[in-house]
Amino acid sequence: MNRFTFSFAFICSLTTLIFTQTFAQSTVALQCEHLVAPIGVDSEHPRLAWQMEDSRAGAAQSAYQVLVGTDSAQLANKPSAWNSGKIASAISNITYQGKALQPSTKYFWLVRTWDKAGAKLPDSRISSFETGLMGINNWKGSWISDMGSINTLPAPYFRKGFTATKKIRSARAYIAVGGLYELYLNGQKVGNHRLDPMYTRFDRRTLYVSYDVTDQLQQGKNAIGVLLGNGWYNMQSLAVWDFDRAPWRNRPTFCMDLRITYTDGTTATIATDDSWKTHDSPIIFNSIYTGEHYDSRLELPGWNTANYNDKNWKEAGLRAAPSKQIVSQLMQPIRNVDEIKAKSIKKFDDTTYVVDLGRNVSGVTKVKLNGAAGTIVRIKHGERLHPNGHVDLSNIDVYYRPKDKSDPFGTDIVILNGRGPVEFMPKFNYKGFQYVEITSSEPIDLKQDDVTGYFMHSDVAPVGTINSSNQLINRLWWATNNSYLSNLFGYPTDCPQREKNGWTGDGHFAVETGLFNFDGITIYEKWLADHRDEQQPNGVLPDIIPTGGWGYGTANGTDWTSTIAIIPWNLYLFYGDSKALADNYNNIRAYVNYVDGISPQGLTTFGRGDWVPVKSTSSLEYTSSIYFYVDATILAKAAKLLSKEDDYKHYLALAARIKNAINNKYFNSTTAIYGSGVQTELSMALQWGIVPEQYRNRVAANLAKRVAQDNLHIDVGVLGAKAILNALSNNGQAETAYKLASQDTYPSWGWWIVNGATTLYENWNIQATRDISLNHMMFGEIGGWFFKGLGGILPDETHPGFKNVLLKPNFVSGLNYFTASHNGPYGKIISAWERKGQDVIYKVTIPANSTATVTIPNGAQAKVYLNNVVVRNSSTYKINSGSYQFRIRY
């Protein structure tokens, strides 16, 4: 036994003595494609996963059996699609290997598991997944539009009346759209999604959404209603990103199949064709980028109901599909997640009001308005106020290039009808804002409860929490999560107001923060598909994804577009799921090969550098080359994982060549300094494994000295912000890392918080004249560092998906207590420590079917008790699942 590793057997015997009562055991949390009971599965071999719920100490799965069939009543005995048989294995994420799945079919499934002693546990509850159309050839509908041009302004309505001749057993709606849509059946909106379908490179991949609409149909007369918006498909607003010139740009269009199954087993499909009717809606303009304009005088009451008379509507026209790849949108949808009541309202006069929500969010406002017919109401959204109390857009409208004054930035416009209150909430737009200025052409009476904000984002489930004795840390974690969610709209963005762009750098800087806190794999897998769509044949990627063409410049290099490697690798680490690495392997290789081709000596200047630094700058060649090394290393690891031995050897050698080139040029082994010795250069070498092992402690000590020289404040841009806290806490300098993380004077993360921030900013300097969005995610690594650097929760590369948890807490002197928890693929991990007199009490919970390696800081110099039993002085302890309490006395 290694002298630094305490034995499994001894610890298991200790915990067995403590956990002697009877515990319930079962198999729970069944997921298909990382979703619960999804509809619209297009994969021929969907992923199936589950958890073992068993609080007995050392609980583990010794075998499993998966049963899949179309008849839930017969599933346990006669699964019609797949019986995996009993498989002796502890894995709990597999791929379906049964009979060929049929389109538009509901499959039921359950899991049987056996515990570590070989005893069979109760069957899981039956779950389900339902296939989608599984290919463009299975659609019956045609693509239709109102045949307007890209310059036509009103959003179009579509409707179709039909009769269901028999009693309905089930019904499914499948709708694919170029643009955005809302779907209605018999006057009621279908689902609670917002901004469907998600933004893609529309001419290469178009998404469709599946719904169970059984309860919204009736025997007899029915009506389907569809409202289309522009979204990114038809950008009519002008900005520097050139989306108005996107190659896919066209008037919104859609295709739909409504498939009905009657109780007698017969089926019918109501599909889009040129018999559908269309009419302009009251939405007279809509832009995902700027705002939405609504003329309530043009409302058509009942337009989407069965008895509506559509004789004055025109026929829809047939259109070509936007792309030949029509793919199911199988991911967490965007929703109005939080309702936010107005914190205050200030009345300037009868035509001008300013509302404060009290926090910065992404989303929309719902406003109840009452006034004379023809009154024009402007609803302007912003993050700041002018000194006179009016909304200031100067920090977020800088990239807008309007052709005239008809499309004001961040502003919705409503024209009142004079017939009573008009309740307005935009359907095809969102903003980033805290303040709302409402002005009207005629007097209106507006009360505080007439304005409601909605925090809107991809509705990913929270999976992580932290709590500490320092309220600044708690508030900073909350604000970081606010920024992360504000920038999650089916793809990670940089900011929800000024750009709404999928900046690649921002995406991978924040990926660990995202994955520690939220179950976001479906969003990232979709975004990686966007990467594949955008990659040039030579391997080059743009630095905003998706893009209408902007971003294939000279700076879209390794420090930004390393998303193609870093995000699949992190999904593998956090979920133990290698699909993203397999799906993107050729793309990673093409990208690395391109950079290799322009960097024959192993060094590259292909990149943007340490964006928005405080004062010190770093070598572009140095920082870009480090990310080149990161990409080559990930590619080598992926090659090994995927049994590509020749590639593994080739890219392992390439990574070594890059590392040597960096060290030969930029490392002074005498002084243990990289480059000019600024924080970014020292921390990046430590964070990304560039430093030769024998020099790590010296380089880390030099980094700590540099931070002290900088008065215990950060002096980094985005690349350094990603690296510095990890570089310190991973290398014996956790005290310095914590002082940086908890600093509350300029420049620091805490400086934003003490100045009222509820989100993260784009610039350390609040008074900067550029790069001053107040809701940005590019400095967001700190939200993940709380879990790693203080709680010590880390994935184990050799046992990914937290099959084995690495626990490396740091009991920093500035905190009295700290708790971190993360719901991983096997269940909840808890790492919690507290000071009690001379002792540190460290409590750990490891879920069933997983293990942990616990490293106590300076454990060999401490007296350590485990569950009140003294254990030998050691730094590392191996434990099975269960709950444990360490008491450490230094």
Side-chain angles (χ1 to χ4, degrees):
M1 182 177 69
N2 186 303
R3 67 188 184 93
F4 294 114
T5 303
F6 203 68
S7 76
F8 252 124
F10 180 69
I11 290 178
C12 289
S13 66
L14 288 176
T15 53
T16 301
L17 292 174
I18 294 169
F19 299 102
T20 55
Q21 69 263 42
T22 301
F23 295 89
Q25 305 98 41
S26 60
T27 306
V28 298
L30 274 63
Q31 288 190 330
C32 174
E33 290 294 293
H34 296 284
L35 296 168
V36 177
I39 297 177
V41 175
D42 272 355
S43 173
E44 295 179 352
H45 301 282
R47 292 164 288 178
L48 304 174
W50 60 90
Q51 292 178 6
M52 184 181 186
E53 188 174 76
D54 189 340
S55 54
R56 293 176 295 178
Q61 172 188 297
S62 63
Y64 71 85
Q65 181 179 15
V66 175
L67 307 176
V68 183
T70 55
D71 186 340
S72 60
Q74 297 294 319
L75 181 62
N77 299 313
K78 293 182 179 180
S80 58
W82 187 38
N83 181 347
S84 70
K86 183 179 178 181
I87 307 294
S89 173
I91 67 171
S92 59
N93 55 336
I94 63 170
T95 57
Y96 172 83
Q97 298 295 334
K99 295 180 180 178
L101 298 175
Q102 299 303 304
S104 303
T105 302
K106 187 169 187 175
Y107 290 88
F108 301 94
W109 68 291
L110 64 80
V111 183
R112 289 176 181 152
T113 55
W114 286 258
D115 69 14
K116 67 177 181 180
K120 179 180 171 297
L121 302 183
D123 288 354
S124 72
R125 292 185 178 180
I126 294 175
S127 188
S128 67
F129 65 88
E130 191 169 318
T131 52
L133 294 182
M134 302 187 77
I136 194 170
N137 294 333
N138 292 322
W139 287 81
K140 295 186 180 300
S142 300
W143 285 82
I144 62 172
S145 179
D146 69 345
M147 305 312 289
S149 75
I150 59 173
N151 299 314
T152 303
L153 296 182
Y157 279 151
F158 297 84
R159 60 170 278 116
K160 174 70 174 180
F162 67 95
T163 300
T165 58
K166 307 171 189 177
K167 189 174 181 180
I168 297 169
R169 184 173 73 194
S170 65
R172 301 290 184 265
Y174 307 98
I175 181 168
V177 179
L180 299 172
Y181 74 91
E182 286 197 345
L183 171 64
Y184 301 85
L185 286 175
N186 295 324
Q188 299 298 313
K189 184 176 182 290
V190 174
N192 60 3
H193 300 188
R194 303 297 313 279
L195 302 181
D196 268 343
M198 302 299 153
Y199 174 28
T200 59
R201 171 83 191 234
F202 294 100
D203 56 346
R204 294 179 181 168
R205 184 168 49 99
T206 310
L207 301 182
Y208 76 92
V209 184
S210 307
Y211 299 96
D212 180 347
V213 294
T214 307
D215 293 340
Q216 289 180 261
L217 292 184
Q218 59 195 13
Q219 185 173 351
K221 293 176 65 177
N222 293 270
I224 308 170
V226 174
L227 170 64
L228 293 187
N230 286 319
W232 297 100
Y233 185 63
N234 184 33
M235 178 57 70
Q236 295 176 320
S237 303
L238 305 181
V240 299
W241 319 109
D242 298 333
F243 283 105
D244 61 299
R245 292 188 282 175
W248 61 70
R249 189 179 170 194
N250 211 329
R251 180 70 170 162
T253 179
F254 77 107
C255 177
M256 180 178 172
D257 280 6
L258 175 62
R259 299 194 172 199
I260 302 170
T261 301
Y262 296 110
T263 54
D264 65 1
T266 60
T267 62
T269 299
I270 313 301
T272 43
D273 57 25
D274 56 7
S275 69
W276 285 53
K277 296 291 192 70
T278 184
H279 195 284
D280 289 347
S281 77
I283 298 175
I284 56 177
F285 174 82
N286 70 98
S287 167
I288 189 73
Y289 186 62
T290 57
E292 190 164 302
H293 306 171
Y294 184 81
D295 189 343
S296 65
R297 299 170 301 180
L298 303 178
E299 290 175 344
L300 301 173
W303 70 274
N304 48 18
T305 60
N307 293 320
Y308 181 79
N309 187 344
D310 59 13
K311 66 178 182 179
N312 293 324
W313 290 37
K314 65 180 182 179
E315 291 183 349
L318 300 180
R319 272 266 301 276
S323 73
K324 293 184 178 180
Q325 191 177 181
I326 313 299
V327 179
S328 179
Q329 179 177 297
L330 206 63
M331 58 191 296
Q332 304 290 357
I334 298 167
R335 293 188 176 101
N336 284 355
V337 179
D338 293 327
E339 181 177 287
I340 304 170
K341 300 295 185 184
K343 181 181 178 182
S344 66
I345 186 169
K346 180 177 181 180
K347 180 178 180 180
F348 288 84
D349 52 46
D350 287 342
T351 61
T352 307
Y353 302 79
V354 170
V355 173
D356 180 5
L357 292 185
R359 57 183 291 201
N360 198 338
V361 298
S362 61
V364 293
T365 50
K366 183 169 68 177
V367 182
K368 186 165 68 175
L369 303 166
N370 204 349
T375 299
I376 300 173
V377 182
R378 294 173 179 260
I379 308 164
K380 181 166 64 175
H381 302 75
E383 298 182 312
R384 307 194 304 190
L385 296 178
H386 289 293
N388 63 8
H390 291 277
V391 168
D392 175 10
L393 298 183
S394 63
N395 70 316
I396 58 174
D397 66 357
V398 293
Y399 295 125
Y400 184 38
R401 302 292 183 264
K403 59 181 181 294
D404 54 39
K405 295 182 179 181
S406 64
D407 178 18
F409 189 79
T411 303
D412 299 322
I413 299 175
V414 181
I415 303 174
L416 304 184
N417 57 34
R419 298 192 294 268
V422 172
E423 190 171 88
F424 169 80
M425 183 179 74
K427 299 180 183 301
F428 301 127
N429 172 268
Y430 74 99
K431 298 98 175 165
F433 67 103
Q434 176 173 338
Y435 305 100
V436 186
E437 183 165 350
I438 300 172
T439 58
S440 57
S441 61
E442 301 293 335
I444 59 172
D445 181 22
L446 194 70
K447 299 182 291 297
Q448 185 170 326
D449 60 4
D450 289 333
V451 182
T452 303
Y454 289 93
F455 190 8
M456 182 175 157
H457 53 77
S458 291
D459 193 9
V460 289
V463 295
T465 62
I466 69 117
N467 185 40
S468 79
S469 57
N470 185 337
Q471 290 308 308
L472 178 65
I473 292 294
N474 299 339
R475 189 73 175 177
L476 182 53
W477 171 72
W478 176 77
T480 303
N481 284 351
N482 287 340
S483 272
Y484 179 78
L485 293 174
S486 293
N487 285 289
L488 206 64
F489 278 78
Y491 62 109
T493 67
D494 61 329
C495 55
Q497 11 61 4
R498 191 183 69 195
E499 298 184 33
K500 301 182 171 78
N501 279 321
W503 278 98
T504 48
D506 302 53
H508 75 74
F509 301 150
V511 65
E512 290 174 89
T513 290
L515 295 178
F516 269 116
N517 285 288
F518 301 98
D519 181 15
I521 186 171
T522 62
I523 310 299
Y524 286 112
E525 288 189 334
K526 177 267 178 189
W527 196 39
L528 288 168
D530 297 331
H531 280 62
R532 297 194 294 273
D533 288 342
E534 296 288 12
Q535 190 171 34
Q536 298 278 31
N538 65 358
V540 170
L541 290 157
D543 42 16
I544 61 171
I545 295 175
T547 179
W550 191 95
Y552 292 100
T554 58
N556 52 316
T558 59
D559 47 7
W560 252 249
T561 48
S562 286
T563 41
I564 192 63
I566 289 174
I567 288 181
W569 181 247
N570 275 278
L571 294 180
Y572 173 67
L573 291 180
F574 276 79
Y575 288 88
D577 186 338
S578 61
K579 187 174 189 298
L581 284 171
D583 287 349
N584 296 282
Y585 180 81
N586 290 334
N587 306 86
I588 303 170
R589 184 173 58 184
Y591 182 69
V592 169
N593 287 346
Y594 172 80
V595 181
D596 189 25
I598 63 171
S599 315
Q601 304 306 313
L603 299 175
T604 183
T605 57
F606 189 32
R608 289 185 172 273
D610 198 23
W611 199 253
V612 195
V614 177
K615 59 182 187 293
S616 298
T617 58
S618 303
S619 161
L620 175 63
E621 182 182 69
Y622 171 76
T623 57
S624 295
S625 298
I626 286 181
Y627 274 100
F628 181 25
Y629 168 76
V630 171
D631 297 339
T633 301
I634 290 173
L635 180 55
K637 291 177 179 179
K640 185 175 184 180
L641 180 71
L642 300 172
S643 300
K644 299 177 184 294
E645 189 63 27
D646 289 343
D647 276 4
Y648 169 64
K649 293 176 182 177
H650 174 77
Y651 293 108
L652 190 66
L654 173 61
R657 179 162 59 86
I658 300 166
K659 182 176 180 177
N660 289 336
I662 295 170
N663 282 318
N664 288 340
K665 183 170 183 178
Y666 289 98
F667 182 51
N668 184 327
S669 60
T670 302
T671 61
I673 293 290
Y674 278 86
S676 59
V678 298
Q679 291 182 21
T680 289
E681 292 172 331
L682 293 170
S683 61
M684 284 187 67
L686 288 164
Q687 159 81 354
W688 297 114
I690 299 296
V691 183
E693 188 60 36
Q694 66 270 31
Y695 294 103
R696 287 187 69 85
N697 289 339
R698 287 182 62 197
V699 174
N702 282 333
L703 175 57
K705 290 176 186 176
R706 178 67 196 217
V707 171
Q709 180 184 326
D710 292 324
N711 198 26
L712 287 175
H713 285 74
I714 50 174
D715 181 21
V716 295
V718 293
L719 305 184
K722 173 68 180 178
I724 190 165
L725 298 177
N726 301 300
L728 288 164
S729 61
N730 290 345
N731 294 285
Q733 303 292 338
E735 294 288 341
T736 299
Y738 174 70
K739 288 172 184 176
L740 284 182
S742 60
Q743 184 63 259
D744 64 359
T745 56
Y746 174 80
S748 66
W749 289 275
W751 174 239
W752 298 331
I753 301 301
V754 298
N755 280 277
T758 60
T759 48
L760 302 188
Y761 291 175
E762 188 188 10
N763 201 311
W764 303 114
N765 182 2
I766 299 173
Q767 304 302 324
T769 57
R770 56 164 292 168
D771 299 315
I772 47 176
S773 154
L774 302 186
N775 196 346
H776 242 73
M777 201 53 203
M778 64 188 192
F779 291 118
E781 163 65 13
I782 190 169
W785 177 80
F786 292 140
F787 292 84
K788 297 181 289 182
L790 297 178
I793 300 175
L794 297 161
D796 183 346
E797 181 179 324
T798 61
H799 300 89
F802 299 99
K803 180 66 173 170
N804 183 65
V805 186
L806 300 181
L807 291 175
K808 299 181 179 181
N810 285 300
F811 311 138
V812 294
S813 58
L815 289 175
N816 292 324
Y817 64 84
F818 185 87
T819 299
S821 71
H822 174 71
N823 277 315
Y826 294 90
K828 180 177 281 191
I829 304 157
I830 301 174
S831 176
W833 55 265
E834 181 180 8
R835 299 187 183 281
K836 291 210 173 171
Q838 298 179 8
D839 298 343
V840 174
I841 306 301
Y842 181 43
K843 296 181 180 179
V844 173
T845 297
I846 301 301
N849 205 29
S850 59
T851 58
T853 305
V854 182
T855 301
I856 303 295
N858 299 314
Q861 286 76 50
K863 191 169 187 178
V864 180
Y865 298 78
L866 175 56
N867 296 333
N868 294 319
V869 177
V870 178
V871 293
R872 59 186 286 181
N873 288 353
S874 179
S875 294
T876 305
Y877 302 85
K878 185 77 174 179
I879 58 177
N880 291 322
S881 63
S883 294
Y884 303 83
Q885 178 174 294
F886 292 86
R887 181 158 57 94
I888 304 108
R889 178 170 294 175
Y890 292 101

